[in-house]
Amino acid sequence: MPGVDEDSAVPPLRITELTVRFAGLTALDAVSLTVRPGTVHALIGPNGAGKSTCFNVLSGVYRPASGSVRFGEHELTGLPPHRIAALGVARIFQNLALPPRVTVEDSLLLGRHRLTRTGFLAAGLRLPAAAREERRHRERVREIAAFVGLERQLDRPAGSLPYGQQKLAELARALCMEPRLLLLDEPVAGMTADERRRTAEVVAGVRDSLGISIVLVEHDMGVVMRLADAVTVLDFGRRIADGAPADVQNDPAVVRAYLGERLDAEETDR
């Protein structure tokens, strides 16, 4: 499967002094980080640390109180989600969002929507140009399905697939957008050990074969340590650590943050 074209080379993602407030509550407090091109950058932290808030800013769902998000030369802060997607940013949510009765192939084809050049009328009339474009898109869909291991499932309703394969189909649909930056929100949550391993292999392949930058929110520390080139740790909306996975894992502030969460859970269970 070919990688990113030179014309759409992956730029760095720079988050600078990002602050988000909700009715007086500071969800993100002057957070800064840089995602280097073609790397997996994990964003981790205890529950309520601000990870989802950060993702919602990156994808245009939330508007920050202050700070900047730049993807290469483009300022993302304040742009609506469709404008951010048009710049090559794709997001996969934690919850499944595939149309259950639509085939896997047609579900993946939805990811090609922003790349479609022929108009609605031409497509409806089955004009030759529209038919040729649809064939090209379906060829690309089949390539991407094979890349993630779903080439034999294309004719099946998406909702009939096992959970792990449905998550892979969502990843494939995001790849069908030909993104330069991929936001993965807990991609292995709820999976079996085999499904987690397979999904981690696909994500590693996306980085290594396609050169796409990936921002990863994930609670499975085994997956984070295997995949991440860099890790940023949030706690109560603040960045408490940033660096290589092994260094971050042994950082005293990180250990305290996760230990505190574990102790709180034990108190609740009593």
Side-chain angles (χ1 to χ4, degrees), residues 4 9-14 33-43 55 71 179-184 203-217 224 226-232 242-245:
V4 176
V10 176
L13 174 72
R14 303 188 191 278
L33 63 97
T34 298
V35 179
R36 301 191 316 276
T39 64
V40 175
H41 195 116
L43 193 62
F55 257 37
F71 189 43
R180 299 185 295 166
L181 174 65
L182 192 56
L183 308 177
L184 299 182
V203 173
V206 169
R207 173 195 56 199
D208 299 339
S209 300
L210 306 183
I212 295 172
S213 300
I214 297 171
V215 183
L216 170 72
V217 167
V224 169
R226 284 200 304 275
L227 286 178
D229 301 294
V231 179
T232 296
D242 186 83

Side-chain angles (χ1 to χ4, degrees), residues 250-263:
N250 297 316
D251 188 294
V254 176
V255 174
R256 283 195 300 272
Y258 276 97
L259 183 61
E261 182 185 56
R262 194 175 302 119
L263 290 175

Side-chain angles (χ1 to χ4, degrees), residues 6-17:
E6 290 184 5
D7 291 341
S8 58
V10 176
L13 174 72
R14 303 188 191 278
I15 299 172
T16 307
E17 298 290 310

Side-chain angles (χ1 to χ4, degrees), residues 17 21 25 47 49 56 64 94 99 122 129 158-159 162 168 213 219 260:
E17 298 290 310
R21 297 189 182 93
L25 173 68
N47 289 330
N56 283 331
Q94 181 180 351
L168 280 177
S213 300
H219 284 289

Side-chain angles (χ1 to χ4, degrees), residues 96 150 161-169 187 190-192 195 199:
L96 292 171
L150 292 177
L161 300 183
Y163 178 78
Q165 289 189 351
Q166 289 191 53
K167 295 281 280 188
L168 280 177
M191 290 187 178
T192 66
E195 289 171 339
T199 301

Side-chain angles (χ1 to χ4, degrees), residues 73-84:
E73 63 183 16
H74 298 285
E75 176 66 50
L76 303 188
T77 312
L79 290 182
H82 72 277
R83 291 278 306 280
I84 292 175

